[in-house]
Amino acid sequence: MRPFPATAPAARRAGGAPEGTAVAGGRTGRHRGEGQWAMGHFTPLNANEQTKKDDDGLNVRTRIETVYAQRGFDSIDPADLRGRMRWWGLYTQRRPGIDGGRTAVLEPHELDDEYFMLRVRIDGGRLTVSQLRTIGEVSEEFARGTADITDRQNIQLHWIRIEDVPEIWRRLEGVGLSTTEACGDTPRVIVGSPVAGIAEDEIIDGTPAIEEIHDRYIGSREFSNLPRKFKTAISGSPQLDVVHEINDVAFVGVRHPELGPGFDLWVGGGLSTNPRLGVRLGAWVPLAEVPEVWAGVVGIFRDYGYRRLRNRARLKFLVADWGPERFRQVLQDEYLGRRLADGPAPEQPAGQWRDHVGVHRQRDGRYYVGFAPRVGRMDGATLTKVAELAAGHGSGRLRTTVEQKMIVLDVAGDRVASLVNGLEALGLRVNPSPFRRGTMACTGIEFCKLAIVETKARGELLIEELERRLPDYDQPISVNINGCPNACARIQVADIGLKGQLVTDDQGRQVEGYQVHLGGALGLEPGLGRKVRGLKVTADELPDYVERLLLRYRAERQGDERFAQW
Ligand code: SF4
């Protein structure tokens, strides 16, 4: 294993240093035991680090193709099954029938089903009709028709057999899609503005940077062993439409008064346990330099990131300890070899929704049409029909969004009504209620091994109930539902965040329910929702609780006061 590429200055120095020696911008002392490579600590401090040192996660592909797919599930090495297969987007899914109360007490192998979730990465949310058709076909043929749009623009399939994986890769890669580093301690999908290159109000199109980063670094061994996952967001939209505040690194479109359009650099955002919003480094980055700066930030994470405890290994902990000034200094001095220009902060976006749902004019005079499935849930047959609609009404381009929605691009004005009718006939709303528009749910107990409660079906039921009870409710609202204390559905930055756990009902029974978080927000006045002390609702009470809350908000709000300000 070659832990450092020759290109990283700090790494070069660190690579020659004896174990435990401080090098470059690092310090000894209290970080001595964090397993930072740049400090000369190469001895793995936990089982995950050992697995990565034993063999690069990317190497598992050959074994999948030549051994596991031939010999079946039982032939899979446990270190590959629960570790390296993630480097190719594969997770074992939860064995059916295990209730949430047993999640924490069972051993991993007792929770593992012999089927997999497969995550297809869709960088920038950019899809063509032929790609969507292929995902639809794979879903129908190999995934029992499952297909969920995630809140990071990916599409996830379930019920995948190991025997079918090589054929699935062949089909996906045949149309330019991949599952490479869709999971694992790697640079995950790069989220990008779903309206990049077409929006009338766009500041700058980040697509060339997304493509270059993808082509140069995804699947490269330079960044295939990071301390943990690494999330990237790039958007030149003034709508701030990629949740940049909760990514490890984000490039946010701004106009520099002298230098013109470019990107404002943010680092260190992340939710889950110990949620933190990203911080600005005050640096302006031109489009052409985004890949180099991105590689510098990932390099810092690889070299200085903490590798002792998994729950302290995200970049946000290093940024919290260093502060933005020191982080920028190390980036400039050790990774870029030059100073970055100072730059302005993004401005407050005008609209309250950032999801691009509805019919909107493009800058070329055509239209894009965003629509809302319920909680991101689609299926293979519907994806195929959406692909046909896009082929018949647009130029064949589609996008996924970070709100679990989709968009058809390049629709001529006289074809919009026909497309809207076609989507609505599939149950995909172009003018959805605020509840359908604003509700997201993670995978939950149906497939996720960490889940304690059901999420998707609960979310769908909640939407239906609120639409029936509050048909004239018209205020933007976000309701995010997680199946466990992790944050896959971003509960901490929702108006109403619901964290799945077992709660006690009024008969004293342990039942599925949620801890309530209220008042989270993103945008230029971001904040993490308040965990309402002691406020837990059972899953059955959820529609009643949310209805009461919304009615009170509507009655008490002053002027344009948003839910988070109330
Ligand atoms: Fe699974 Fe928890 Fe993430 Fe939901 S939030 S997908 S239950 S890990």
Side-chain angles (χ1 to χ4, degrees):
M1 180 176 126
R2 188 167 64 92
F4 293 121
T7 51
R12 246 197 334 265
R13 277 171 278 167
E19 181 85 9
T21 305
V23 293
R27 292 177 300 180
T28 51
R30 85 185 184 86
H31 295 300
R32 192 176 177 82
E34 295 286 5
Q36 295 163 281
W37 285 359
M39 312 286 280
H41 296 294
F42 298 111
T43 303
L45 296 175
N46 59 50
N48 295 82
E49 287 300 311
Q50 184 66 54
T51 298
K52 291 186 285 182
K53 186 172 185 180
D54 289 344
D55 190 25
D56 192 300
L58 291 171
N59 292 340
V60 79
R61 175 154 177 158
T62 309
R63 289 193 287 282
I64 292 172
E65 291 178 318
T66 60
V67 181
Y68 304 148
Q70 318 295 325
R71 299 188 193 163
F73 184 84
D74 291 340
S75 70
I76 302 172
D77 179 328
D80 287 343
L81 184 67
R82 298 188 192 93
R84 300 185 194 95
M85 291 179 87
R86 297 173 187 187
W87 271 243
W88 290 94
L90 286 157
Y91 267 92
T92 46
Q93 64 188 39
R94 185 189 189 90
R95 186 180 297 223
I98 299 177
D99 65 59
R102 294 160 70 204
T103 299
V105 296
L106 293 178
E107 294 295 321
H109 72 270
E110 295 176 290
L111 284 161
D112 278 334
D113 198 1
E114 61 188 37
Y115 296 96
F116 292 86
M117 178 277 283
L118 180 65
R119 184 176 293 159
V120 183
R121 67 181 292 155
I122 303 171
D123 293 87
R126 295 153 54 82
L127 276 172
T128 64
V129 161
S130 65
Q131 289 173 332
L132 191 60
R133 264 192 209 121
T134 301
I135 296 173
E137 284 164 17
V138 168
S139 161
E140 289 280 282
E141 212 170 313
F142 302 107
R144 302 190 188 180
T146 57
D148 289 332
I149 303 170
T150 76
D151 60 6
R152 291 195 66 79
Q153 299 181 305
N154 298 306
I155 294 182
Q156 292 184 176
L157 310 172
H158 294 279
W159 298 109
I160 301 293
R161 297 164 64 241
I162 192 67
E163 290 86 346
D164 297 327
V165 170
E167 174 61 15
I168 293 172
W169 281 336
R170 192 189 67 74
R171 295 202 197 177
L172 293 174
E173 290 167 6
V175 291
L177 290 169
S178 88
T179 67
T180 315
E181 297 184 336
C183 311
D185 295 349
T186 63
R188 304 282 188 89
V189 66
I190 303 160
V191 299
S193 172
V195 293
I198 59 162
E200 280 191 311
D201 61 353
E202 183 171 72
I203 296 168
I204 185 168
D205 180 358
T207 307
I210 294 174
E211 289 177 341
E212 188 174 338
I213 291 169
H214 179 274
D215 294 350
R216 273 172 63 179
Y217 298 109
I218 303 307
S220 139
R221 278 155 216 272
E222 191 166 349
F223 298 130
S224 61
N225 182 350
L226 300 178
R228 279 219 58 193
K229 60 186 161 189
F230 185 86
K231 297 183 176 181
T232 303
I234 300 176
S235 172
S237 166
Q239 303 304 323
L240 306 182
D241 56 358
V242 289
V243 292
H244 64 274
E245 306 91 336
I246 55 170
N247 280 263
D248 293 286
V249 66
F251 296 85
V252 184
V254 288
R255 280 196 184 81
H256 192 287
E258 288 101 42
L259 301 170
F263 294 91
D264 187 40
L265 178 58
W266 296 54
V267 297
L271 295 178
S272 202
T273 45
N274 296 302
R276 292 184 63 87
L277 297 170
V279 294
R280 296 183 57 235
L281 296 188
W284 179 87
V285 183
L287 177 63
E289 294 174 13
V290 168
E292 179 195 8
V293 173
W294 178 88
V297 174
V298 188
I300 290 179
F301 182 45
R302 176 198 56 205
D303 303 342
Y304 287 99
Y306 304 151
R307 292 174 183 262
R308 185 165 61 88
L309 299 172
R310 293 287 286 172
N311 62 7
R312 261 183 63 78
R314 291 288 299 275
L315 183 65
K316 63 187 174 184
F317 295 100
L318 184 68
V319 172
D321 284 350
W322 278 9
E325 294 79 14
R326 181 172 174 209
F327 193 98
R328 177 171 169 176
Q329 202 67 50
V330 173
L331 175 65
Q332 293 176 160
D333 294 351
E334 299 180 19
Y335 289 81
L336 302 176
R338 62 189 164 78
R339 195 177 181 286
L340 293 164
D342 295 336
E347 291 176 10
Q348 179 73 42
Q352 290 202 34
W353 292 105
R354 306 200 280 181
D355 58 7
H356 307 294
V357 165
V359 178
H360 305 268
R361 198 178 153 86
Q362 299 180 182
R363 62 173 177 240
D364 64 4
R366 293 182 290 179
Y367 293 83
Y368 66 87
V369 178
F371 58 91
R374 278 182 299 201
V375 294
R377 183 134 276 185
M378 299 283 277
D379 58 68
T382 306
L383 288 182
T384 305
K385 288 175 188 158
V386 169
E388 298 319 320
L389 283 172
H393 292 82
S395 67
R397 298 195 296 167
L398 303 104
R399 304 273 167 89
T400 51
T401 81
V402 296
E403 275 86 21
Q404 302 180 332
K405 310 292 187 292
M406 285 189 86
I407 306 174
V408 177
L409 308 189
D410 309 329
V411 184
D414 61 0
R415 300 288 289 150
V416 168
S418 165
L419 174 62
V420 170
N421 290 339
L423 290 168
E424 297 268 341
L426 295 175
L428 302 168
R429 300 270 174 272
V430 175
N431 296 301
S433 69
F435 313 121
R436 181 191 279 231
R437 191 167 181 178
T439 301
M440 294 203 308
C442 75
T443 300
I445 204 164
E446 187 181 6
F447 297 117
C448 177
K449 289 181 293 182
L450 301 179
I452 300 167
V453 306
E454 162 61 48
T455 51
K456 292 274 190 197
R458 292 284 176 195
E460 294 190 62
L461 190 68
L462 179 66
I463 293 167
E464 271 172 34
E465 278 296 307
L466 293 173
E467 287 177 344
R468 188 176 64 75
R469 298 179 190 195
L470 303 172
D472 58 348
Y473 193 89
D474 61 359
Q475 294 304 310
I477 189 78
S478 53
V479 182
N480 294 10
I481 308 173
N482 269 4
C484 80
N486 286 318
C488 302
R490 312 197 295 253
I491 55 161
Q492 299 96 332
V493 291
D495 291 323
I496 303 172
L498 300 164
K499 182 169 78 183
Q501 58 183 230
L502 295 181
V503 302
T504 308
D505 71 4
D506 51 14
Q507 321 249 337
R509 294 172 304 193
Q510 287 277 290
V511 296
E512 289 198 358
Y514 303 93
Q515 162 74 52
V516 177
H517 292 241
L518 293 178
L522 293 175
L524 288 185
E525 294 172 30
L528 300 170
R530 282 172 290 115
K531 177 169 156 182
V532 186
R533 206 174 160 73
L535 181 45
K536 296 173 182 177
V537 290
T538 67
D540 289 343
E541 292 166 345
L542 190 58
D544 291 347
Y545 170 71
V546 177
E547 180 189 15
R548 278 199 308 275
L549 198 59
L550 295 181
L551 288 175
R552 235 184 88 201
Y553 163 60
R554 187 161 69 176
E556 294 178 6
R557 73 193 280 257
Q558 310 271 321
D560 289 337
E561 194 176 43
R562 289 182 297 133
F563 189 93
Q565 299 165 321
W566 169 51

